[in-house]
Amino acid sequence: MTTSYRNLRVLNPTPAIALAIVLVCGGTSLAAKPNFVITIADDHGVYHSSVYGSNEFQTPNLQQMANEGIRFDNAYVASPACAPSRAALFTGRMPYNNGIVGNHEFELKPGVSSLLPVLLDEGYEVVFHGKVGHAGRKHFGQYVPDGVKILGGGGLQQTMTLDQVESFLQGRPENAPPLALFLGWTDTHTAWPPKEEARIAPEDVVIPPKIFDTPEARVEMTRYVEAAEDIDRRVGQTRELIAEYLDVNNTLAVYTSDHGMPWPFAKWSLYETGIRTPLIAVWPGKIKPASSTDAMVSWIDLIPTLIDLAGGTSPSGIDGRSFAKVLFGETDKHRDAIFATHKGDKEKNVYPIRSVRVGKWKYIRNLHPEFAYTTHTDVWAKETPRDPKHWAHAGHHWQSYLDAAKTDPSAAAFLLDYHSNPAEELYELASDPFEKNNLASSSEQAGKLAELRELLDNRMREVADDRSLSGPPQLLKDFPLPQVTLTKQAPAAAKKPNVLFLISDDLNTALSGFGHKQCKTPNLDRLARRGVKFENMHCQYPVCGASRASIMSGLYPYSNLTLGNEGTLRGNLPDVVTLSQTFRNNGYYAGRISKIYHMGIPFEIIEGTSESDDPFSWDEAINIKGPEQNAPGELTNWSPKNKGSQNFTGVVATGGDSEHADGMAADRAIEMLSRVRDQPFFLAVGFVRPHVPLVAPKKYFDQYKRDEMLAPVVPQHDLDDVPRIIRGYKRNSTTYGVTPELHKGLLQAYYASVSYMDAQVGRVLDALEEQGLAENTIVVFTSDHGYLLGHHNKYQKQHLFEEATRVPFIISVPWLKEQHGRGTTKITELVDLYPTLTELAGIPAPGTLQGTSLKPLLLDIESPAWNKEQAFTISRSGGESIRTADWRFTQWGFGENGLELYDLNNDPGEFTNQARNPDYASVVKKLRAQLIAKRDAAGFKQNQKAIVDKSGMNKQKK
């Protein structure tokens, strides 16, 4: 084969195989034993392909494998270093059971043998090509027996083509025995391709969470991306060989890697990015295409699986066991616990670690937290004089971290986090997949910590773990660590930062950057890449007037007494000092464009008024006058039984963006930016879409095909177990007359309106750049509350389900760059915005504010300093709700008209109300106490009579 491996095509989806391990179906009667083709990558992290969600990696061949086979989402190696990982693979035993524990060790314990002879005894021709075992021929006589045929070398970058494999396959006779072919590729192990060969540009790579972002790191990441794409091309080439020389329908192909990438917090660590591995298997006609599994499997299970599928029996006493039933979709369970071990890598990495994962919980024990954690990446990067052989495998970007840490506290904190670790770490992986929030010191998780600690202790005793070291350690007390300061100053030129506050109306989290599968919001996604997403942000009242009054006052509705759309904030609280007023009082020009406080939409847009505005908040206020539902175009009502002002009317409008409300708002915002650019400003821009009427130019409707709109999935009898006050609220499909066909049109119109609004955000952001203001302007985007679009068969707002309380929220602070492009799932509230902006701008805030500054999360999305545990939202009819990381608890009529409790880990759709389930009685009691405490702190106790009177429930409540 002479084709360059860099120019291989992606095969058409014919019955082909992918690069990986070829397996046989257990219990299936076959005319011949199946072939196995196993591809093992070196240092290819689980997240670094399109198969596992990283679309900046162009890996079409791996993607085609996943499309034709099964993707394992919880596959693990036994150790995050080459030698022990591969020894575990071929012996079916964990490191302390096989004797190879540290990297570059190669002698098995007496009595331990390879599993490959079992395949040889079953009549297989076992063939290695490339780096399959570790350290070349040192493992011959260990786990590589004499009967294994070696085609090409095994060192780093030595085997660059499949020519020898093709020659071997060409020469096999028709009656050749079944084949077990193992291919090992080292592309993703350093050294990577030169930066000049990288396809991807530095600005387009994604720096993994927990890793500090520098220009030099981005250049290095382009090289790693190219290396991963090189392996993908090898996968395509291997599949061509399988299709040409083997029986595809009797061949199992598997792709996997020995551990994570050689970057911080990955290889040489027991974090998920170190020990979780890609695993994809294809077998046409045997494995269901495009399937996936959450079953936890280990590399020690791979060879026992092959033996099982070959009709053989694995030796007794090994740790591994076949997962053939998982391959064929017969079960989604395999292991209850995953253990992993790391000893070290000679003197470069002397840091023994142990871990166990059970369900969503992960426990890590650092046996010597007094040691400094180092690896080849940083040790060889600092080596003087430089050894070229070492430099090839060093972190070429490491010096940029050291330089940044001299002046940047975030860089210093990153290096401190890298070099030092606590004795114990505990992570809840469902909400914290990148293990940023260590819960080991949490009193709430003391029971889980003790449980996993005991499990690991028992395991270490069982395997006679001797806790030995790989070399002489460096003590942390003697290691040069950067000094970390806890705060970071605004731009060096003591110039006051500007604030651009953008707020949408009735927008739920239907943004592509927040994971929505259909709605397109490229400009807000762009802002998210330049800022931090808050993915668990909740409003304080799911209706416009009350929510916006809470945002602008920094107070909960129970304190500012704005409990709906009636009245005004200052009418309820005459002495309030609003958010923009505080900026005015500190020398800022405060401007408003369109809807910031409540406005009656569509009427006040048609009339160009804003009756609930607060004149004290602004130096200049501009109202927008637009046609709304009177715009020329195709007028439709997708809720024909709803005759009120809030019906689902919309217009597929003719004309351009600036002929409608949000385009006009963007025009005026751009004009105001040009006028106030030479003074510090607080500019608030309100976009009214996707509030009804759903008016947008036709080109935005054309982005969505009505027939392809996906309505929310709602179980039958969803609301049978909720309080009557919810069932009786008449914003539903029946009372609105929304048929399934109309529902598709409604969704198309809502998403078109969102995309129209998004385009206007983009225009304002572009103007900020063009006028040279971007580097000194804090940008905030959010919505006043969420919105139901058929969720629970309900519509619009004033509900207390997740879709009504949760809002999109993005903050971009140009000089706080480390967390840019990342999202936090910490519980946060819109009431937190006011103190956040005053702290970022360095101006004093009123002492009455009830929110908490989000700045700790802008510095670290998993900041241990963030301790807010509940978001508090109220609604009509005495509805009160708290949202925690695991639960939503809601009561109606201030607790007298029914309760709701949802277990969000097991019921994220909030479909099963557990409030009356006796098994949850203790949870209800605990959360109800938390809700009472939260609402009293929010002002209920102080203003109880006024609150109850305003709610229309005049009976005094306790």
Side-chain angles (χ1 to χ4, degrees):
M1 177 171 288
T2 58
T3 306
S4 168
Y5 73 89
R6 288 182 177 272
N7 298 303
L8 293 167
R9 66 182 184 277
V10 180
L11 294 183
N12 292 325
T14 53
I17 282 186
L19 192 63
I21 298 179
V22 179
L23 305 178
V24 168
C25 223
T28 301
S29 176
L30 299 169
K33 292 179 185 289
N35 300 307
F36 304 129
V37 177
I38 303 137
T39 296
I40 300 172
D42 199 349
D43 296 12
H44 186 198
V46 66
Y47 290 108
H48 305 135
S49 69
S50 60
V51 176
Y52 289 91
S54 295
N55 292 323
E56 72 274 19
F57 288 78
Q58 292 185 3
T59 52
N61 294 292
L62 289 174
Q63 188 64 57
Q64 187 168 311
M65 280 190 68
N67 294 343
E68 296 176 5
I70 185 170
R71 183 193 73 231
F72 285 74
D73 290 336
N74 285 308
Y76 289 83
V77 295
S79 181
C82 302
S85 178
R86 293 166 190 256
L89 170 68
F90 287 110
T91 63
R93 297 172 184 262
M94 292 294 287
Y96 267 103
N97 281 339
N98 71 50
I100 297 177
V101 184
N103 205 22
H104 295 97
E105 295 180 359
F106 58 89
E107 291 188 4
L108 297 176
K109 290 170 65 173
V112 174
S113 60
S114 171
L115 294 177
L116 293 176
V118 182
L119 287 177
L120 292 169
D121 291 344
E122 288 297 321
Y124 274 79
E125 187 173 19
V126 181
V127 179
F128 280 16
H129 180 67
K131 183 182 174 182
V132 179
H134 185 250
R137 297 181 177 267
K138 288 182 180 179
H139 289 118
F140 289 19
Q142 298 295 318
Y143 57 72
V144 184
D146 292 340
V148 173
K149 181 175 293 186
I150 308 298
L151 298 182
L156 293 178
Q157 311 299 342
Q158 288 183 9
T159 306
M160 299 303 294
T161 74
L162 280 158
D163 291 349
Q164 290 162 292
V165 176
E166 183 173 28
S167 297
F168 164 73
L169 292 174
Q170 283 177 332
R172 296 186 86 221
E174 290 186 8
N175 61 349
L179 176 64
L181 173 62
F182 294 82
L183 304 172
W185 301 119
T186 62
D187 301 78
T188 39
H189 191 296
T190 52
W192 303 312
K195 61 184 180 182
E196 292 79 12
E197 294 184 12
R199 171 197 57 80
I200 193 169
E203 60 268 23
D204 294 329
V205 302
V206 176
I207 299 298
K210 298 175 73 168
I211 297 179
F212 189 72
D213 190 349
T214 66
E216 293 82 356
R218 289 184 165 273
V219 170
E220 284 298 276
M221 186 58 73
T222 67
R223 299 176 62 203
Y224 178 79
V225 171
E226 186 65 24
E229 293 178 357
D230 282 348
I231 285 187
D232 182 79
R233 287 184 274 265
R234 296 184 190 279
V235 170
Q237 190 175 22
T238 300
R239 295 184 65 210
E240 288 183 338
L241 293 178
I242 292 172
E244 184 170 357
Y245 296 110
L246 297 175
D247 180 358
V248 222
N249 295 318
N250 196 35
T251 301
L252 172 72
V254 176
Y255 179 83
T256 189
S257 174
D258 58 354
H259 46 68
M261 68 188 301
W263 281 66
F265 308 108
K267 182 179 179 178
W268 302 296
S269 85
L270 296 187
Y271 295 117
E272 294 290 281
T273 43
I275 58 174
R276 198 169 140 234
T277 187
L279 180 61
I280 314 164
V282 177
W283 192 358
K286 303 295 190 302
I287 294 176
K288 181 181 178 181
S291 56
S292 64
T293 179
D294 288 327
M296 293 200 302
V297 301
S298 172
W299 250 36
I300 58 175
D301 301 323
L302 282 177
I303 304 301
T305 301
L306 299 186
I307 292 171
D308 180 20
L309 299 175
T313 302
S314 295
S316 61
I318 65 171
D319 299 311
R321 61 179 187 268
S322 170
F323 56 74
K325 289 185 177 180
V326 178
L327 278 174
F328 304 124
E330 298 173 25
T331 182
D332 207 29
K333 304 289 182 185
H334 188 63
R335 289 188 174 273
D336 295 325
I338 291 286
F339 293 94
T341 299
H342 181 59
K343 178 178 179 178
D345 197 341
K346 294 189 173 180
E347 72 283 355
K348 301 297 184 296
N349 173 237
V350 185
Y351 209 88
I353 320 170
R354 310 290 185 262
S355 73
V356 60
R357 177 183 175 181
V358 176
K360 66 179 182 179
W361 291 98
K362 173 85 164 290
Y363 171 68
I364 298 174
R365 181 178 300 170
N366 298 296
L367 301 189
H368 289 282
E370 74 276 16
F371 291 179
Y373 178 89
T374 61
T375 70
H376 299 69
T377 303
D378 60 286
V379 173
W380 279 343
K382 295 180 286 187
E383 187 178 53
T384 305
R386 233 175 236 170
D387 183 328
K389 292 182 179 178
H390 294 170
W391 179 242
H393 303 293
H396 293 190
H397 52 301
W398 202 262
Q399 188 60 47
S400 70
Y401 297 153
L402 299 176
D403 292 340
K406 296 173 184 176
T407 57
D408 190 332
S410 298
F414 158 73
L415 290 176
L416 180 64
D417 192 26
Y418 172 76
H419 286 299
S420 62
N421 293 289
E424 295 182 300
E425 301 174 65
L426 178 68
Y427 300 100
E428 196 275 285
L429 297 176
S431 63
D432 184 21
F434 289 100
E435 297 158 296
K436 294 275 289 182
N437 186 22
N438 183 8
L439 300 175
S441 60
S442 168
S443 58
E444 291 186 3
Q445 305 305 337
K448 179 59 66 176
L449 179 68
E451 172 193 332
L452 296 181
R453 181 189 290 149
E454 181 181 10
L455 188 62
L456 188 62
D457 284 341
N458 292 338
R459 177 65 178 180
M460 291 175 69
R461 283 192 292 269
E462 178 186 333
V463 301
D465 190 325
D466 65 4
R467 303 167 180 252
S468 58
L469 305 181
S470 62
Q474 295 189 65
L475 295 179
L476 197 57
K477 67 181 182 64
D478 300 326
F479 192 83
L481 289 173
Q483 297 300 309
V484 179
T485 56
L486 297 179
T487 60
K488 199 164 182 312
Q489 300 303 313
K495 184 179 179 183
K496 291 181 179 179
N498 306 309
V499 175
L500 175 61
F501 174 41
L502 309 173
I503 184 168
S504 181
D505 201 350
D506 288 12
L507 174 66
N508 59 27
T509 54
L511 278 66
S512 46
F514 279 70
H516 197 275
K517 295 180 179 178
Q518 293 196 306
C519 196
K520 303 178 181 70
T521 53
N523 294 290
L524 288 170
D525 297 349
R526 167 167 54 121
L527 179 63
R529 290 193 294 271
R530 291 163 37 185
V532 175
K533 292 185 298 182
F534 288 75
E535 297 174 344
N536 219 337
M537 175 65 74
H538 295 266
C539 70
Q540 275 45 79
Y541 198 125
V543 71
C544 302
S547 178
R548 291 164 182 262
S550 177
I551 293 170
M552 295 300 290
S553 67
L555 302 172
Y556 290 98
Y558 280 164
S559 287
N560 67 40
L561 293 177
T562 307
L563 301 177
N565 286 334
E566 298 75 24
T568 65
L569 170 62
R570 197 164 297 276
N572 292 315
L573 198 65
D575 295 329
V576 66
V577 179
T578 67
L579 171 58
S580 53
Q581 188 178 1
T582 289
F583 277 81
R584 283 188 77 193
N585 293 344
N586 284 275
Y588 278 72
Y589 186 91
R592 171 183 69 80
I593 309 289
S594 196
K595 181 177 178 178
I596 299 301
Y597 292 95
H598 179 59
M599 289 172 58
I601 308 295
F603 305 114
E604 289 200 86
I605 291 292
I606 294 173
E607 296 167 1
T609 60
S610 181
E611 294 182 0
S612 297
D613 191 31
D614 179 56
F616 294 91
S617 293
W618 317 110
D619 291 293
E620 180 180 7
I622 297 175
N623 297 328
I624 298 301
K625 187 173 184 178
E628 295 292 82
Q629 69 269 25
N630 301 319
E634 181 185 345
L635 176 67
T636 304
N637 182 1
W638 292 281
S639 56
K641 292 184 179 181
N642 180 5
K643 305 301 182 183
S645 64
Q646 299 303 299
N647 61 25
F648 291 134
T649 295
V651 181
V652 182
T654 59
D657 289 11
S658 294
E659 297 178 36
H660 307 284
D662 284 354
M664 295 176 182
D667 289 345
R668 298 307 301 271
I670 293 168
E671 183 270 332
M672 187 179 286
L673 283 173
S674 68
R675 284 193 287 109
V676 303
R677 55 176 296 171
D678 294 327
Q679 58 186 309
F681 61 80
F682 181 105
L683 175 56
V685 183
F687 297 108
V688 297
R689 299 284 85 87
H691 192 295
V692 294
L694 300 170
V695 180
K698 182 177 181 295
K699 64 182 178 181
Y700 298 102
F701 280 83
D702 290 344
Q703 293 182 25
Y704 303 96
K705 296 181 179 179
R706 182 175 305 184
D707 292 342
E708 295 179 1
M709 295 296 96
L710 300 175
V713 176
V714 182
Q716 191 175 13
H717 309 301
D718 172 32
L719 299 180
D720 287 0
D721 58 0
V722 302
R724 182 181 303 172
I725 197 169
I726 302 174
R727 294 198 304 273
Y729 192 47
K730 295 183 178 180
R731 294 188 175 190
N732 57 47
S733 302
T734 301
T735 58
Y736 276 19
V738 181
T739 65
E741 183 59 29
L742 288 173
H743 197 176
K744 288 180 179 292
L746 168 62
L747 293 171
Q748 180 195 29
Y750 186 87
Y751 299 154
S753 297
V754 174
S755 291
Y756 167 58
M757 178 274 299
D758 173 82
Q760 310 322 306
V761 170
R763 292 177 58 213
V764 177
L765 294 179
D766 288 344
L768 203 66
E769 293 275 359
E770 291 164 4
Q771 296 184 33
L773 298 167
E775 291 305 310
N776 193 42
T777 302
I778 301 162
V779 181
V780 178
F781 175 86
T782 191
S783 171
D784 49 3
H785 47 70
Y787 203 74
L788 272 65
L789 286 165
H791 306 87
H792 305 282
N793 290 320
K794 296 285 186 179
Y795 289 92
Q796 299 185 330
K797 41 210 171 186
Q798 296 207 35
H799 300 277
L800 289 175
F801 290 116
E802 185 85 354
E803 293 81 12
T805 72
R806 184 169 165 244
V807 297
F809 191 92
I810 304 167
I811 300 184
S812 173
V813 183
W815 56 91
L816 299 181
K817 294 183 178 181
E818 182 186 357
Q819 304 298 312
H820 281 188
R822 300 174 186 174
T824 178
T825 57
K826 295 286 190 180
I827 295 289
T828 52
E829 302 172 288
L830 285 178
V831 75
D832 298 326
L833 176 61
Y834 193 152
T836 303
L837 291 179
T838 54
E839 182 179 5
L840 290 172
I843 62 176
T848 55
L849 299 186
Q850 293 175 317
T852 305
S853 172
L854 300 166
K855 187 175 180 181
L857 295 175
L858 296 172
L859 294 170
D860 177 2
I861 60 172
E862 298 294 347
S863 172
W866 186 258
N867 55 17
K868 179 171 285 192
E869 296 183 347
Q870 307 103 10
F872 181 56
T873 308
I874 64 173
S875 189
R876 62 189 173 83
S877 307
E880 301 168 314
S881 185
I882 58 170
R883 167 64 153 86
T884 74
D886 301 316
W887 305 94
R888 177 178 293 282
F889 175 74
T890 303
Q891 62 180 24
W892 293 93
F894 304 104
E896 294 192 2
N897 290 344
L899 308 177
E900 297 173 79
L901 175 68
Y902 300 102
D903 179 353
L904 299 177
N905 289 320
N906 297 306
D907 179 26
E910 299 175 323
F911 297 131
T912 304
N913 181 11
Q914 304 287 4
R916 300 176 67 180
N917 184 338
D919 293 341
Y920 290 80
S922 62
V923 179
V924 170
K925 182 178 180 180
K926 179 180 77 170
L927 292 178
R928 194 169 194 179
Q930 290 181 10
L931 186 149
I932 297 301
K934 184 80 172 181
R935 78 173 187 179
D936 284 349
F940 181 84
K941 193 172 184 179
Q942 177 183 352
N943 298 314
Q944 182 173 351
K945 184 178 185 304
I947 291 164
V948 174
D949 288 346
K950 280 176 174 277
S951 73
M953 302 181 66
N954 296 312
K955 180 180 177 182
Q956 189 75 11
K957 305 297 175 188
K958 294 184 179 180

